[in-house]
Amino acid sequence: MNSAIRNGLGYTTLALMIAALFMVFDYVPPEAEQGIAQLIFYFHVPLAWVAFASFAIVAIAGIFYLWLGDQLWDDLGYAAAETGMVFCTLMIVAGSIWAKPIWGTWWTWDSRLTTTFILWLMYGGYLMLRASADDTPQVARFAAVLGIVAVLDVPIVIASVRLWRTIHPAVLVTKQGGHGLEDPRMVATLMVCLAAFTALWAWLLMLRFMQLRTRSRMGTLAVRIAFANAAASDSK
Amino acid sequence: MSAPVVETHSLAKTYGLALVLRDLDLRLPSGAGAFVTGGNGAGKSTLLRILAGLEAPSGGRALVFGQDTRKLAARYRRRIGVMAHQSFLYPNLTARENLEFFAELYSLAEPRASADRWLSRIGLAEVADSRVRTFSRGMEQRLSAARAMIAEPALLLLDEPFASLDHDGAEIVAALIRGAIERGAAVIATAHGVPEIEGVEFAVYEISRGRLAEPAPKEEVRRGSRIRSLLGR
Amino acid sequence: MSGFAAVLRKDLRLERRSGESTLALLALSMLVLVVLVFALDSARLRSVDVAAGALWVAMVFAGMLGANRALLAERDNGAIRGLLLSPLDPGTLFAAKLVAALIFMAVAEVGAVILMVLFFNLEFDQSIARLAPVLALGAIGFSALATLLSAITGRTRGGDMLLPILAVPIFVPALIAGVKASAAALAGAPLSSMGDWLRIMIAFDVLFVTAGYLLFEHVVGED
């Protein structure tokens, strides 16, 4: 059943991605003001959406893990963190590629890029925590708590960074992503890109999650083997 | 004597592929004492840790005061005293300060008076104001026993309480255990061999291959332990 | 409640007993200020901004050391197990450790403020009084966060290095707000003008004190 979903997601992603690439590079008209660089927007917005969604899943899975204790939730949280990290990194790269032609530098501390960077650091911290310790239920609890507090912090981060940047608008008077989507073709392209990246994200998440589940099940298997071994040596 | 203080049902515990405890059934009413013996790694400490709520069983159930050990409410924890290989004492506090702290933690009415009383009982009254870091292992062990019992708990879980003790120290701790049982507490202690405690009848169990053997006559078990230690098992 | 007082009193007593190391750690946080004075050319930048920034760097540094120490005391002889086995509620334990870390950070802050005024040629006047609540809010939030996180990092291999990696990104909003509000206070602005920043800091504090209190049991427990 799970493999069917996973494969289905894979093919859907492929189809949507091809459609998205076509629409971005061949179909949609570039925006007048920013030129071709603006096209990154069609990737940046979906990337932002999945990066934050991943983060939310890390926290929700953490809550369920602490509450129910089922290893499944820990596996989901870990998979979501890894997947989210990938997309968050892509988001930063995309933001940087966008910054160069628009602002002339590879990086700038505008509110979106700053928030993304903080998010990226939080992901990094979570993954470092998991990497620096063995896979015990105790570490899973640590990770769950970290995920929860990090996500609870995100709204405060967004608010403070935005306030920080409005006080110093000097650096950038800019189109922060083109909310004015006049052309219906732009809207359509954005929708397709959103769908494509969501599918890609869901697919990768599913792959990783299933891997972790398999590994966890081996742990349960070990317990059963232990019992079986003991029973076997008893009857000798 | 209605419900037993401690009971386990088919208790099991695995570490990786090793089955340390399995099918372990134990019942202990109040005012009773049990010694659990067995070789190194037999699972004695594991059993105590599970009963204390520090570890979760891999199978079966462990109940203390009728409550699942995994989620013991504060009011039950108040009635349990634990001695482990580690003393739980603060090296930079004095003996008296350590006992006072635990007395306060367990909401005793007069922490200072209780601390002093127990210091006398364990023969450490003269060094009451010395820091624990200056103590010998035996002195620390005695203080740890006092720490475990200062709140007069209804259940004592003692992991090798006589380890590192000289004759005097062992007598002191034996007297404390006897006093606890006479008070109506239930006591489970682990040991390699079985020491004599005057005036108290202890049930003796042995953990062998993860299971609890029937209480054996003391002499047999002692002989058994000696033979086992000779054979290096 | 007696548990909270008992743990706090014990921690303060232990802190006094370890005399030299406390002093050394406080000195370390002050040294951070010294480094920053030389590293940043304050003549070219507006003094209060640099001063506020340097102050907060020293504070965060001190905060991390303080939170770590509060939980370090429980490592000897497995003392933390003794606490877990006792009737003490984990949330209460968190509160006691939080206050212990807070006290350490407060002492460091006082020293840092004094040095800041001296190094950056500021005045001991009204602006310092307005600074106090900002620093207090910052200390509470950071102590709560660091206490919760050091219970985690204390028991993983990354250990001491992991604490700043985890704490700093999460602390960023309070850091931004704190530095901005501090600079404004030092420049003579009234507290009412910093409303937005203070609100952010208060939100952060409420969030992390509550989260710490509720989640602490999951990070101190054994397996």
Side-chain angles (χ1 to χ4, degrees):
Chain A
M1 167 63 178
N2 281 338
S3 329
I5 298 180
R6 181 196 65 203
N7 294 335
L9 273 174
Y11 291 123
T12 312
T13 305
L14 183 61
L16 282 172
M17 269 299 171
I18 293 177
L21 286 172
F22 166 70
M23 292 186 81
V24 169
F25 288 110
D26 213 31
Y27 172 68
V28 75
E31 207 212 18
E33 205 169 305
Q34 293 178 45
I36 202 125
Q38 184 265 348
L39 290 177
I40 283 232
F41 159 78
Y42 296 107
F43 295 121
H44 187 87
V45 171
L47 284 175
W49 144 247
V50 297
F52 279 91
S54 257
F55 216 51
I57 291 187
V58 172
I60 294 173
I63 293 175
F64 275 105
Y65 180 71
L66 291 179
W67 179 28
L68 299 172
D70 193 340
Q71 181 63 27
L72 175 132
W73 295 107
D74 178 53
D75 292 333
L76 181 61
Y78 200 175
E82 288 187 348
T83 316
M85 181 54 150
V86 169
F87 285 97
C88 197
T89 309
L90 286 175
M91 199 177 152
I92 290 190
V93 170
S96 185
I97 295 176
W98 190 9
K100 188 69 170 124
I102 303 292
W103 292 309
T105 56
W106 285 113
W107 185 258
T108 182
W109 292 103
D110 94 309
S111 66
R112 291 242 178 86
L113 284 180
T114 307
T115 309
T116 312
F117 181 59
I118 302 294
L119 191 69
W120 187 84
L121 288 177
M122 290 192 197
Y123 267 129
Y126 179 98
L127 292 174
M128 279 198 67
L129 173 67
R130 298 219 76 142
S132 73
D134 311 311
D135 272 321
T136 62
Q138 187 182 62
V139 174
R141 276 198 298 273
F142 289 168
V145 168
L146 181 64
I148 293 171
V149 297
V151 166
L152 288 176
D153 195 40
V154 165
I156 309 185
V157 171
I158 293 177
S160 65
V161 170
R162 193 173 297 156
L163 193 56
W164 182 54
R165 281 297 115 198
T166 59
I167 300 228
H168 297 265
V171 183
L172 33 111
V173 182
T174 177
K175 277 283 179 138
Q176 293 231 331
H179 286 297
L181 295 178
E182 318 90 18
D183 196 318
R185 284 180 291 176
M186 290 182 174
V187 177
T189 310
L190 183 61
M191 291 298 122
V192 171
C193 284
L194 268 175
F197 273 95
T198 306
L200 176 63
W201 168 74
W203 182 51
L204 290 177
L205 180 59
M206 186 84 184
L207 282 174
R208 188 57 181 143
F209 176 57
M210 285 171 68
Q211 262 187 348
L212 290 175
R213 286 306 293 146
T214 308
R215 196 175 64 177
S216 298
R217 282 203 201 97
M218 272 169 35
T220 330
L221 211 57
V223 173
R224 290 214 212 114
I225 291 177
F227 275 95
N229 275 347
S233 64
D234 256 2
S235 50
K236 285 207 188 93
Chain B
M1 217 125 320
S2 44
V5 174
V6 176
E7 54 179 322
T8 69
H9 302 287
S10 301
L11 193 64
K13 181 71 184 179
T14 61
Y15 285 118
L17 285 179
L19 192 60
V20 175
L21 300 174
R22 63 173 164 141
D23 249 357
L24 201 133
D25 289 320
L26 172 68
R27 294 182 107 246
L28 195 69
S30 48
F35 263 100
V36 177
T37 68
N40 287 324
K44 311 189 293 294
S45 301
T46 306
L47 173 62
L48 281 192
R49 275 204 298 276
I50 291 177
L51 291 176
L54 289 175
E55 275 188 43
S58 307
R61 295 174 75 202
L63 299 170
V64 164
F65 303 121
Q67 308 292 315
D68 194 312
T69 57
R70 278 170 298 182
K71 296 242 176 234
L72 272 176
R75 65 178 180 277
Y76 297 109
R77 296 201 300 267
R78 184 166 284 131
R79 296 156 65 193
I80 302 178
V82 178
M83 259 180 94
H85 179 70
Q86 292 171 306
S87 66
F88 304 162
L89 299 168
Y90 296 93
N92 271 332
L93 293 183
T94 68
R96 177 181 286 130
E97 285 166 348
N98 264 293
L99 286 186
E100 261 182 16
F101 171 65
F102 280 95
E104 283 172 357
L105 217 53
Y106 282 80
S107 307
L108 295 187
E110 288 171 3
R112 174 106 192 187
S114 299
D116 285 333
R117 197 166 53 239
W118 281 85
L119 282 169
S120 308
R121 284 176 80 169
I122 57 174
L124 290 180
E126 298 99 49
V127 290
D129 289 311
S130 305
R131 298 195 195 171
V132 168
R133 62 156 15 126
T134 64
F135 282 13
S136 68
R137 183 84 181 91
M139 292 162 77
E140 204 177 327
Q141 185 84 334
R142 275 192 263 164
L143 190 59
S144 178
R147 173 199 54 74
M149 302 191 203
I150 193 169
E152 317 234 310
L155 170 64
L156 279 173
L157 301 170
L158 312 172
D159 201 354
E160 306 206 13
F162 298 104
S164 317
L165 289 178
D166 59 7
H167 182 75
D168 288 338
E171 274 203 4
I172 288 174
V173 173
L176 292 180
I177 294 178
R178 181 174 58 240
I181 293 199
E182 281 164 6
R183 238 195 317 113
V187 176
I188 300 185
T190 68
H192 278 291
V194 185
E196 278 284 338
I197 298 194
E198 263 183 43
V200 190
E201 262 306 311
F202 267 85
V204 179
Y205 300 89
E206 192 198 336
I207 297 190
S208 165
R209 305 176 87 206
R211 285 207 178 92
L212 215 56
E214 289 296 314
K218 280 209 213 127
E219 206 39 60
E220 244 176 57
V221 178
R222 245 185 293 168
R223 229 184 300 134
S225 313
R226 222 179 306 136
I227 292 176
R228 250 188 305 282
S229 65
L230 282 176
L231 293 176
R233 266 192 248 141
Chain C
M1 207 50 203
S2 69
F4 171 80
V7 175
L8 185 58
R9 209 176 319 130
K10 166 192 66 83
D11 280 339
L12 292 178
R13 190 176 272 165
L14 282 174
E15 195 60 50
R16 272 203 309 275
R17 298 269 166 89
S18 67
E20 319 86 22
S21 40
T22 310
L23 213 52
L25 285 172
L26 286 170
L28 204 53
S29 347
M30 302 304 108
L31 276 177
V32 170
L33 263 179
V34 176
V35 170
L36 285 166
V37 167
F38 291 115
L40 305 162
D41 187 353
S42 55
R44 264 190 272 156
L45 305 158
R46 232 182 99 211
S47 238
V48 278
D49 290 325
V50 177
L55 177 65
W56 276 79
V57 171
M59 267 176 50
V60 168
F61 197 71
M64 283 193 285
L65 295 173
N68 220 14
R69 290 169 63 69
L71 283 158
L72 210 58
E74 311 299 340
R75 304 263 165 79
D76 292 320
N77 295 328
I80 186 70
R81 281 213 194 97
L83 292 181
L84 292 174
L85 289 167
S86 77
L88 185 68
D89 170 50
T92 311
L93 179 60
F94 171 76
K97 294 296 176 184
L98 165 58
V99 173
L102 193 55
I103 291 176
F104 183 86
M105 205 168 162
V107 174
E109 274 183 14
V110 169
V113 167
I114 294 175
L115 285 184
M116 175 197 68
V117 171
L118 296 173
F119 288 167
F120 290 87
N121 302 316
L122 303 173
E123 291 294 324
F124 284 109
D125 60 14
Q126 283 265 325
S127 54
I128 305 296
R130 272 189 296 267
L131 191 60
V134 179
L135 295 184
L137 286 177
I140 293 172
F142 193 78
S143 296
L145 174 63
T147 301
L148 180 62
L149 291 181
S150 60
I152 292 177
T153 61
R155 290 192 293 152
T156 55
R157 280 199 294 270
D160 290 332
M161 282 196 297
L162 200 55
L163 181 58
I165 293 177
L166 297 182
V168 169
I170 297 179
F171 190 62
V172 158
L175 182 63
I176 293 175
V179 173
K180 289 300 168 194
S182 298
L186 288 175
L191 281 178
S192 50
S193 67
M194 311 171 211
D196 288 332
W197 296 126
L198 293 178
R199 264 189 292 277
I200 287 179
M201 292 179 81
I202 292 173
F204 186 89
D205 288 358
V206 168
L207 173 62
F208 280 94
V209 170
T210 312
Y213 186 85
L214 295 175
L215 296 173
F216 204 60
E217 62 174 302
H218 297 288
V219 297
V220 284
E222 301 277 314
D223 184 5

